Structures are given as structure tokens and as C-alpha cells.
Amino acid sequence: GAGVSQSPSNKVTEKGKDVELRCDPISGHTALYWYRQSLGQGLEFLIYFQGNSAPDKSGLPSDRFSAERTGGSVSTLTIQRTQQEDSAVYLCASSWLAGAGYNEQFFGPGTRLTVL
Amino acid sequence: DQQVKQNSPSLSVQEGRISILNCDYTNSMFDYFLWYKKYPAEGPTFLISISSIKDKNEDGRFTVFLNKSAKHLSLHIVPSQPGDSAVYFCAAHGDSGNTPLVFGKGTRLSVIA
């Protein structure tokens, strides 16, 4: 049983370039989340998908950030015109659809993004 | 304003002793609290949870205590082992399924042999 996978594991880019980060959730998990962890900070919520729709985009820090999910599976987080403050570890998580109860999310290993 | 706070960035404990990691929260709408453990270069892994209707949940060496009136929870690890050395994150969410987790900044635990 494969867990959540993310690619690339590391990405170094120049300021102003666009980057795409990919997440493959656990098969059958309908909910998918993106978080990021900047140096010395906790995990900051970015966006959440239920199926292919995104009920909560409230954490996206600016309009340079966007995400999509196709086929209820793979998700891509795109950052346009990257800035140095975008440097962080971007973590993806997935979980089963649940009406109530605690929401155990399963995390991928993350993508470490460095913007020079 | 941080809704989940872990005020100790680091903690050092001797092997065999008890580790106590603390977490405070401000949002009274939180219904579930989770602890995650994170090793370097890996994603966080779920450790233990507690719902707001309980004050204690135990799983092997790990026990989580919740004091709802004080909006405080703690994770106890006993006995601590060197393999427990990691960053521990406290997280919380409301009563609806699939809501995003709100995380604290984490506490780095070092268990010294």
C-alpha cells in the first residue's frame, strides 16, 4: 500500500520563475490538502480539495498560488513568479471522506522549494 | 494570531524518563486534537488523538491529556526512547469531517541515551 507521494523532493528555482509541485494521494482518499512549512514555523494550511473541487482556498497567500486536482486523484500546486519568501517545504496530505470524527490526515514527504 | 500554540521549541529528556509536551489553543470550536511526529526529510505521521468529550486517551507509551476549561493539552511519553527524538506537532480541527488541521509550531524532542 503506497502512501502519499510528492514530486519533486527538492526544487531550486530562480526568483520570478513558475514552479509546479505534484501530489499523489493514497488511492481512495477523497480529501486532499496542501500545507507549507517555512523555516521555524508550523504547518500553514493552503488549500483543501474534496474530490476535484476546492471548498476552502482561504490559505493561499496570494493570487500567484493556484492548485488543481483532476480525476479525484493527483493534485498540482502551481506558484507563479516565485519570490524568495515562497521558500518552504510544501506538504500534501490526504484523508478519507468523513462526516464527523477526527480527521487523520496522511502526509507525503514534502517538496523542499528554494527560491534564489 | 496563532490558534494552536506550542510554547517550547525544544525539550531534552533522558532515556527512560517521561517526556511531557504541551499545547495550548484559543479556538473553543475545536473538537478534535491530534499529535503528529515528524522526522527530518519525512512528512508528519499521526501519533494519537483525543476528542473534546474526553480528558485522556492512551496508546501504549503515549498518553494525551485534555483540559478543556484551560484549553490545554499535553502529550506524555513514558518511558522515553532515543527513537522518540523528533519534532512533535499539536494540531486541532472542528467537528466537521475533512476540515483542515490547524498546527502549532512544533516541539523538538531529544531523548538522550
Side-chain angles (χ1 to χ4, degrees):
Chain A
V4 178
S5 62
Q6 292 185 245
S7 60
S9 55
N10 278 286
K11 176 72 178 178
V12 180
T13 191
E14 292 179 347
K15 179 181 170 182
K17 302 271 185 166
D18 298 351
V19 295
E20 280 190 357
L21 312 179
R22 177 186 165 110
C23 172
D24 277 279
I26 291 172
S27 177
H29 280 189
T30 53
L32 185 147
Y33 309 80
W34 284 98
Y35 296 86
R36 74 175 176 182
Q37 184 180 17
S38 303
L39 193 63
Q41 302 296 313
L43 279 74
E44 172 192 4
F45 166 71
L46 298 177
I47 186 169
Y48 141 59
F49 288 91
Q50 193 157 298
N52 291 335
S53 64
D56 191 347
K57 303 180 183 180
S58 63
L60 293 177
S62 76
D63 59 7
R64 296 184 297 103
F65 287 73
S66 63
E68 64 175 15
R69 189 180 185 196
T70 54
S73 183
V74 172
S75 176
T76 303
L77 177 69
T78 301
I79 310 173
Q80 296 178 308
R81 303 179 305 280
T82 52
Q83 304 293 313
Q84 287 179 334
E85 61 262 27
D86 300 335
S87 296
V89 176
Y90 288 81
L91 289 153
C92 175
S94 68
S95 67
W96 296 105
L97 180 65
Y102 80 90
N103 181 10
E104 181 182 342
Q105 296 177 15
F106 296 81
F107 283 82
T111 294
R112 180 176 296 279
L113 175 67
T114 303
V115 182
L116 301 177
Chain B
D1 184 36
Q2 270 207 297
Q3 296 187 66
V4 176
K5 298 177 186 178
Q6 293 177 257
N7 292 321
S8 298
S10 63
L11 175 67
S12 201
V13 171
Q14 278 213 303
E15 181 179 7
R17 299 289 187 103
I18 185 169
S19 297
I20 300 176
L21 296 96
N22 292 304
C23 177
D24 296 288
Y25 63 97
T26 57
N27 189 339
S28 58
M29 300 301 289
F30 287 146
D31 269 323
Y32 295 93
F33 304 89
L34 297 82
W35 284 93
Y36 278 80
K37 176 178 178 180
K38 185 180 184 304
Y39 292 118
E42 294 183 11
T45 54
F46 171 75
L47 196 55
I48 192 169
S49 69
I50 190 168
S51 77
S52 59
I53 62 171
K54 292 189 170 183
D55 55 16
K56 177 181 176 181
N57 188 25
E58 191 172 352
D59 184 2
R61 296 185 298 113
F62 302 92
T63 303
V64 56
F65 295 91
L66 174 63
N67 182 334
K68 200 172 173 185
S69 61
K71 293 191 176 69
H72 176 82
L73 62 154
S74 60
L75 173 68
H76 293 210
I77 306 173
V78 56
S80 302
Q81 298 173 354
D84 296 331
S85 297
V87 177
Y88 289 78
F89 289 98
C90 173
H93 69 86
D95 63 355
S96 302
N98 299 124
T99 55
L101 294 170
V102 180
F103 283 87
K105 290 187 177 183
T107 296
R108 181 177 300 279
L109 173 66
S110 300
V111 180
I112 305 158

